[in-house]
Structures are given as structure tokens and as C-alpha cells.
């Protein structure tokens, strides 16, 4: 159906439009709008707990925010959404993250 | 109310000061530079409490005020010509995100060759984006239009960025007497900005303009279209309200009518040279020609209703253009023809490109030729635009 517009009540229509606008223009974060993206993974990062110096660099670099880390604590990976890009393994200064083939 | 002698650029800076702008970004380009220089002095002296940010390019200048407006601030920047073209990508983001930013474009031709003088090509590249576009024709109007731009742009019914175009040098560097309302009465009329349609702040997680379905792209354009249609009301209303409140004159909304309604011949143009055009129209009226000028004040939203009304009783319409769409017609000529249809013959003259001086005598001859052509029935040539270039030795056919 074709749409035409000629303002009848600019005040009212303006306020209505503003509500629709914020819905269309803004997107709020929510888990997994593309499903659990962890299933895309070919390689899986594994943290070698003995080597980890708890610096948090992996947490800082993870592009998907799937690594949780608290100051001076051990990081942990959310495998539901980790796509296995390997950036964390690459930036780890002590090689404490290894990438293993999924399913092994 | 104070009366001062100001150049166009200084008058714009004064309007920015009175509007209480909070963030200003600056990248110099002639003939706009004086605006941001004056604002820098105002910030330095403490007359304007704004963050003044020097950026590395015009793209960043607009990107930064985009961010500032997204954070709820009243933001301003200014540019010209190539600077505006360098902003082009961000112009779409600002309008698409519906952030009320005010930007001055001091018009200047686009190279090659490098030129400093005015035509309308730079400002009219913004035509299709969703910016409100005003063209001032005097220093007073540059001041009034800038101040009103904040009010119109931030109105809940609108929420679109606004651009005020003023002619390089003929307005930007020309001193005229300007009446300015005082700071207190302006701040009552223009209170601090309401952070709409959204405000980015700590603790609120959301993304603006994230990847979305194709339908959302179309719906956002539809919403901007609706807002632009509503802005017609707001522009007319603001023009009247401002005049009444500050005891200044109303310009007539989207257009200024100088004897146009009811005249046999209507000339349509916009920008500073309308002053000279008025002089030519007055002279021709003195000689008995029933001719009037309809000056376009706002190019977006385009005043098609006003044009239709005026052309109802006209025999012929002449559009004098300062920008051309190569491959078709003058840009204003195209717009006017599409607004009034083919009920009235329209002649399109292209003049003053690159700032070529076009004075009252030129306009007198352009308008008189147009009337004579119509009266002698020789209008076949009107199907294509005519380039007014007297130095080439071809003044009339």
C-alpha cells in the first residue's frame, strides 16, 4: 500500500514519530540476536591456568566481549558466544591460551 | 535590542554566542574562517562558555559536533566549499540520526579552478540529505536565520539539522547595520536544548544506527521526510514569533514576496544577489512592467505551495540560478519547474557561477529580455537554460 503524508497535527505527530524513531534508530544490547554464535567456532581457545599471569589483556582485546575478567583474577571464556577468532591467544604475553580444534 | 555594524561572519558568531552554544568545532576555510575566529575570541574572553575544539579536518569537525549533539549539547560548526564536500559522509549521518546541529555554510565556488567567490554549488550538494537549508540575503537575515535555526532544528516536531547559507564576501565580509536582541531575552526564547531524540551517557548501553533490516533504512527516511514536512509549519511559526517577540520584521516564512503575488511576471532567485535583483525589479515596475520577485528563503523544505500560489496568476516565471546540474538545468530552475508543473512557461537563466559579478544592470537586462521574449511570443528557446555570460559577446539571441 502506498503511503502519503501531509501533517494534520504536527505537535501530536511529532511526538509519536519521536517514539518510533528511537525504536528504529537505536539498538539495545541483548544476547545472541544471531543465535548462539559459539557454534560458528572451528578452533576453541583454552586458558592454561598454570601459565596465566592474570593480566587481563585477553579480556581487553576480545572483540566480542566473551571473556570475563576481574582485576588480578583468572579470565573465563563464554563459549556460547566465542567465535574462536584466536585474538586472545595471539595477544597473550605468556602464551597461556592455546587454540584447539573444536570437538577434540 | 542593540544596533551594531557587523560583517556577515561576525553576525553569525554573535548569533552563536546568543544561542549559548556549548560545543564548537573549527577548521578554517575561506570565506568562513572569520566565524570560528570570532567564536574563539568569545570563548577566550569568557563571553561564551563553550568547548572550542580544533580538529584536523572538516570530516572530523562534523563528526565531533555529531558526537556532542548525541551527548545532548547544543553544537555548531561552519564551513565552505571544499570543506563542506569533505564533510559529505557525516552530513548523512547527522541528518539520519536526527540530531539538531546548526551549521553555517559560507558559499564559495568549487574547483577547478580554485576560486574564492560565491555560487550555490557547495550548499546545494546538501539538497537530498535531510538538512533544513536556508539562504540569507542580508547580514541581518544571516543573524536572524542562524538564531532561528537552533529553534527550528531542536523543535520536537522537527529534529533535523539546519544549515544556513550566506554568500561568501558579498555577505560574509560586508558590513551592514544589524539589530540584535539582548542575551536575556534570547535565553528566555531559546532555553537550553532538550536532549532529543536520544542522549548518549554513561550507564546507558545502546548503539546508534546499527546494522538493521532494509525496511528500517526506508522507515528512517520516511520519518525524516515527515519531519521535514512538519518543519514548514515550524519555520513559518518561528519567523512570526521571532519578529513579534523582538520587534523585528517577519520575512514571510519560506519565501519573501516582493510584489510577486498578482504580478504577470514572477522572478525566482535566492541569496544575497536578490538585493540587486530587487533594484532591477523596482526599476522595471517604474517603467510599467508588472513584475515581482519571489525570493526563496528556504530551499529545504522547498516552498512548492508558495510557488504554486504565486504562479497561479502569472503569465511566465523566470528562475535565475547560481548553480547548475550539468546535463539538465539550473538546480533552482529544476526545483521551480517541478513545483509549478507546466501550467506556466518557465525560463531558466544561469548566471554568477564562480562569483561572476551580476549587478542591478545585469538583472535589469535579464528580466527585461525575459518579458520581451514572452510578449513577442518567442519562448521556444526556453526549453533549455540560457547562460548569461556577457563577456563572451552573446547577451541576447
Amino acid at each position: 500500500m502506498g503511503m502519503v503524508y501531509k501533517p494534520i497535527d504536527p505537535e501530536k505527530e511529532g511526538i509519536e514519530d519521536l517514539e518510533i524513531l528511537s525504536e528504529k534508530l537505536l539498538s539495545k544490547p541483548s544476547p545472541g540476536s544471531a543465535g548462539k554464535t559459539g557454534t560458528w567456532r572451528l578452533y576453541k581457545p583454552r586458558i592454561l591456568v598454570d601459565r596465566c599471569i592474570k593480566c587481563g589483556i585477553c579480556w581487553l582485546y576480545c572483540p566480542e566481549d566473551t571473556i570475563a575478567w576481574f582485576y588480578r583474577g583468572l579470565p573465563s571464556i563464554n563459549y556460547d558466544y566465542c567465535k574462536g577468532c584466536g585474538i586472545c591467544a595471539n595477544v597473550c604475553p605468556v602464551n597461556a591460551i592455546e587454540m584447539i580444534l573444536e570437538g577434540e | 535590542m542593540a544596533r551594531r555594524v557587523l560583517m556577515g561572519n561576525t553576525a553569525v558568531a554573535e548569533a552563536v554566542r546568543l544561542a549559548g552554544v556549548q560545543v564548537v568545532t573549527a577548521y578554517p576555510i575561506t570565506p568562513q574562517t572569520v566565524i570560528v575566529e570570532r567564536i574563539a575570541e568569545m570563548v577566550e574572553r569568557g563571553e561564551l562558555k563553550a568547548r572550542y575544539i580544533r580538529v584536523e579536518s572538516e570530516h572530523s569537525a562534523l563528526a565531533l559536533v555529531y558526537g556532542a549533539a548525541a551527548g545532548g549539547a547544543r553544537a555548531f560548526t561552519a564551513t565552505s566549499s571544499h570543506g563542506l564536500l569533505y564533510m559529505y559522509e557525516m552530513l548523512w549521518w547527522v541528518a539520519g540520526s536526527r540530531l539538531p546541529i546548526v551549521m553555517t555554510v559560507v558559499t564559495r565556488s568549487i574547483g577547478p579552478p580554485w576560486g574564492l567567490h560565491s555560487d550555490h554549488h557547495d550548499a546545494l550538494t546538501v539538497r537530498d540529505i535531510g538538512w533544513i537549508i536556508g539562504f540569507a540575503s542580508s547580514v541581518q537575515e544571516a543573524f536572524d536565520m542562524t538564531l532561528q535555526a537552533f529553534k527550528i532544528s531542536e523543535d520536537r516536531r522537527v529534529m533535523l539539522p539546519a544549515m544556513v547559507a550566506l554568500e561568501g564576501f558579498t555577505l560574509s565580509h560586508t558590513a551592514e547595520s544589524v539589530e540584535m536582541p539582548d542575551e536575556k531575552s534570547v535565553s528566555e526564547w531559546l532555553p537550553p536544548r532538550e536532549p532529543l531524540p536520544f542522549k548518549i551517557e554513561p550507564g546507558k548501553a545502546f548503539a546508534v544506527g546499527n546494522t538493521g533490516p532494509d525496511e528500517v533504512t526506508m522507515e528512517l527516511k520516511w520519518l525524516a521526510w515527515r519531519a521535514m514536512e512538519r518543519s514548514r509549519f515550524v519555520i513559518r511559526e518561528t519567523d512570526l514569533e521571532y519578529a513579534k517577540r523582538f520587534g523585528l520584521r517577519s520575512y514571510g516564512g519560506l519565501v519573501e514576496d516582493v510584489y510577486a503575488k498578482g504580478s504577470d511576471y514572477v522572478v525566482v532567485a535566492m541569496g544575497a544577489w536578490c538585493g540587486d535583483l530587487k533594484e532591477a525589479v523596482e526599476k522595471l515596475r517604474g517603467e510599467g512592467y508588472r513584475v515581482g520577485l519571489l525570493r526563496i528563503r528556504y530551499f529545504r523544505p522547498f516552498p512548492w505551495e508558495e510557488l504554486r500560489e504565486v504562479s497561479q496568476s502569472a503569465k511566465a516565471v523566470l528562475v535565475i540560478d547560481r548553480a547548475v546540474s550539468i546535463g539538465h538545468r539550473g538546480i533552482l530552475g529544476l526545483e521551480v519547474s517541478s513545483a509549478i508543473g507546466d501550467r506556466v512557461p518557465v525560463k531558466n537563466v544561469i548566471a554568477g557561477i564562480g562569483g561572476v559579478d551580476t549587478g542591478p544592470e545585469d538583472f535589469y537586462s535579464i528580466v527585461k529580455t525575459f518579458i520581451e521574449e514572452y510578449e513577442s511570443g518567442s519562448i521556444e528557446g526556453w526549453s533549455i537554460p540560457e547562460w548569461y555570460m556577457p563577456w563572451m559577446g552573446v547577451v541576447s539571441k
Side-chain angles (χ1 to χ4, degrees):
Chain A
M1 198 194 131
M3 308 268 279
V4 291
Y5 179 64
K6 208 149 197 296
I8 296 160
D9 186 344
E11 191 74 44
K12 190 166 147 268
E13 289 155 15
I15 290 166
E16 283 168 3
D17 276 14
L18 271 179
E19 277 167 32
I20 307 167
L21 180 70
S22 69
E23 224 172 85
K24 300 288 177 185
L25 188 63
L26 311 179
S27 46
K28 311 239 159 39
S30 63
S33 60
K36 293 203 169 168
T37 49
T39 57
W40 302 5
R41 198 168 53 231
L42 288 179
Y43 288 88
K44 175 182 187 170
R46 184 164 70 189
I47 296 165
L48 305 172
V49 176
D50 297 343
R51 279 202 203 170
C52 176
I53 55 169
K54 301 165 184 170
C55 65
I57 286 178
C58 56
W59 163 81
L60 189 63
Y61 274 82
C62 175
E64 293 292 336
D65 196 22
T66 62
I67 299 181
W69 173 75
F70 294 97
Y71 188 55
R72 288 180 181 164
L74 264 178
S76 78
I77 297 168
N78 182 345
Y79 291 111
D80 281 351
Y81 297 106
C82 166
K83 294 175 185 147
C85 69
I87 287 174
C88 53
N90 208 37
V91 297
C92 176
V94 293
N95 292 324
I97 301 178
E98 57 175 6
M99 299 300 290
I100 53 172
L101 194 61
E102 195 61 56
E104 274 185 7
Chain B
M1 191 68 63
R3 184 188 283 273
R4 287 176 60 188
V5 175
L6 299 172
M7 292 194 307
N9 278 341
T10 324
V12 169
E14 289 293 334
V16 168
R17 179 179 65 80
L18 288 170
V21 166
Q22 294 158 297
V23 177
V24 178
T25 58
Y27 193 85
I29 183 167
T30 301
Q32 165 280 130
T33 309
V34 179
I35 297 177
V36 289
E37 282 176 353
R38 277 296 146 90
I39 295 174
E41 289 165 15
M42 289 165 174
V43 173
E44 181 66 24
R45 285 197 294 259
E47 294 166 7
L48 175 65
K49 287 180 183 52
R51 277 289 298 275
Y52 186 90
I53 305 164
R54 287 164 297 155
V55 287
E56 75 282 13
S57 75
E58 286 89 354
H59 186 281
S60 303
L62 194 55
L64 216 144
V65 287
Y66 173 59
R74 182 171 286 158
F76 173 85
T77 191
T79 193
S80 290
S81 183
H82 291 258
L84 180 68
L85 302 190
Y86 198 22
M87 285 179 176
Y88 204 61
E89 180 195 9
M90 291 316 297
L91 289 167
W92 291 77
W93 272 91
V94 168
S97 306
R98 304 286 301 279
L99 288 166
I101 285 163
V102 173
M103 173 163 74
T104 304
V105 171
V106 181
T107 58
R108 167 183 160 182
S109 64
I110 297 166
W114 288 110
L116 297 175
H117 297 141
S118 174
D119 63 33
H120 294 164
H121 282 116
D122 55 354
L124 294 186
T125 61
V126 185
R127 182 180 71 168
D128 304 331
I129 303 178
W131 281 67
I132 288 168
I133 304 173
F135 272 83
S137 83
S138 67
V139 173
Q140 177 75 55
E141 193 178 22
F143 173 85
D144 296 336
M145 212 177 234
T146 307
L147 208 44
Q148 289 178 27
F150 289 99
K151 188 84 173 172
I152 296 161
S153 164
E154 292 171 12
D155 191 289
R156 274 167 178 266
R157 291 165 287 181
V158 182
M159 305 305 302
L160 289 170
M163 189 186 102
V164 177
L166 65 144
E167 224 91 22
F169 298 104
T170 43
L171 283 188
S172 68
H173 289 65
T174 303
E176 287 176 12
S177 157
V178 179
E179 284 194 279
M180 289 179 6
D182 63 87
E183 221 170 312
K184 194 169 159 285
S185 49
V186 171
S187 64
E188 279 165 15
W189 174 69
L190 185 69
R193 205 198 122 195
E194 227 185 326
L196 288 171
F198 58 86
K199 184 183 177 184
I200 287 177
E201 52 192 327
K204 272 196 202 163
F206 61 83
V208 183
N210 208 343
T211 319
D214 298 347
E215 287 78 6
V216 170
T217 310
M218 190 157 178
E219 284 167 37
L220 286 177
K221 286 275 181 286
W222 165 242
L223 288 169
W225 168 277
R226 290 166 60 99
M228 190 62 96
E229 289 308 308
R230 291 192 294 267
S231 76
R232 297 173 195 278
F233 291 82
V234 182
I235 290 168
R236 292 184 195 120
E237 179 190 293
T238 308
D239 175 47
L240 289 172
E241 189 191 294
Y242 181 88
K244 200 173 157 204
R245 191 162 184 130
F246 301 122
L248 293 163
R249 75 181 181 118
S250 145
Y251 292 88
L254 300 171
V255 294
E256 186 192 13
D257 183 326
V258 187
Y259 313 118
K261 210 174 194 171
S263 280
D264 289 344
Y265 303 103
V266 175
V267 185
V268 182
M270 60 188 182
W273 66 1
C274 288
D276 287 348
L277 188 47
K278 270 181 208 171
E279 222 177 292
V281 165
E282 295 278 6
K283 195 172 166 204
L284 283 158
R285 288 184 73 85
E287 293 172 14
Y289 293 99
R290 290 172 48 82
V291 58
L293 165 69
L294 193 74
R295 180 169 71 83
I296 306 293
R297 295 188 64 230
Y298 285 87
F299 188 79
R300 284 290 178 272
F302 195 70
W304 62 273
E305 290 156 312
E306 288 83 345
L307 273 157
R308 272 196 194 183
E309 202 192 325
V310 163
S311 65
Q312 291 287 353
S313 54
K315 288 180 180 167
V317 172
L318 167 68
V319 186
I320 306 179
D321 241 298
R322 213 169 191 179
V324 58
S325 174
I326 294 172
H328 202 178
R329 284 175 159 256
I331 296 174
L332 184 59
L334 280 168
E335 299 272 337
V336 172
S337 294
S338 79
I340 64 180
D342 43 14
R343 285 174 304 177
V344 185
V346 178
K347 183 181 183 184
N348 189 192
V349 169
I350 293 153
I353 305 292
V356 168
D357 197 26
T358 315
E361 308 77 27
D362 298 295
F363 287 120
Y364 176 81
S365 119
I366 292 169
V367 179
K368 199 170 174 184
T369 306
F370 152 75
I371 296 171
E372 283 169 357
E373 280 172 356
Y374 181 82
E375 290 185 343
S376 65
S378 48
I379 63 166
E380 323 78 52
W382 291 9
S383 55
I384 51 172
E386 182 180 300
W387 289 63
Y388 181 77
M389 302 163 93
W391 67 94
M392 306 267 287
V394 187
V395 185
S396 59
K397 283 172 280 193

